[in-house]
Amino acid sequence: TAPGSPRVYYFHNAGNEELYCGSADWIQRNFFRRVETVFPIDTKRHRERVLRELDYYLKDNCQAWILEPNGRYRRLHPGEQEPFSAQTKLLEELGY
C-alpha cells in the first residue's frame, strides 16, 4: 500500500463482525514508537461500501501479492481466470 493509504481491519469475531479503518500498518514501529488510531465503521451504508471495495482487493489477480509462508511475496497472475483489477473496477465505478 502507498504511504498514507487507509487500512481496513475486518474481524468476524464469532459472528459479531467488526470493521475498522485507520492510517497505520500494524507493525512494531507503529505500535511502540507512534500514536496511531483506528475507528469503527458503524453506518450501514459505509460498511457496505468498505466491504464491497475490500472484496475487490481480495479478488484482484492482476496487481496483488501473496505473502508466502517463507516470508517472501509472490505476485498474482490471472492465469486461466478472467483478469480482475481492484483499481480498474473502482475507477470504473467512480466514472473515471
Side-chain angles (χ1 to χ4, degrees), residues 2-65:
S5 296
R7 301 326 197 262
V8 174
Y9 305 100
Y10 181 44
F11 304 98
H12 282 252
N13 196 17
N16 182 23
E17 295 180 354
E18 297 178 58
L19 182 64
Y20 300 88
C21 284
S23 62
D25 285 326
W26 282 12
I27 56 177
Q28 187 174 6
R29 74 167 184 257
N30 291 341
F31 280 128
F32 300 107
R33 295 194 316 218
R34 298 180 182 180
V35 175
E36 300 286 354
T37 62
V38 295
F39 53 91
I41 305 296
D42 293 327
T43 307
K44 182 180 179 187
R45 183 176 67 117
H46 295 140
R47 288 177 63 84
E48 289 171 352
R49 178 177 176 176
V50 170
L51 290 175
R52 182 181 70 247
E53 293 177 7
L54 176 61
D55 189 51
Y56 294 162
Y57 282 98
L58 293 173
K59 289 180 181 177
D60 193 314
N61 60 12
C62 294
Q63 298 170 296
W65 295 75

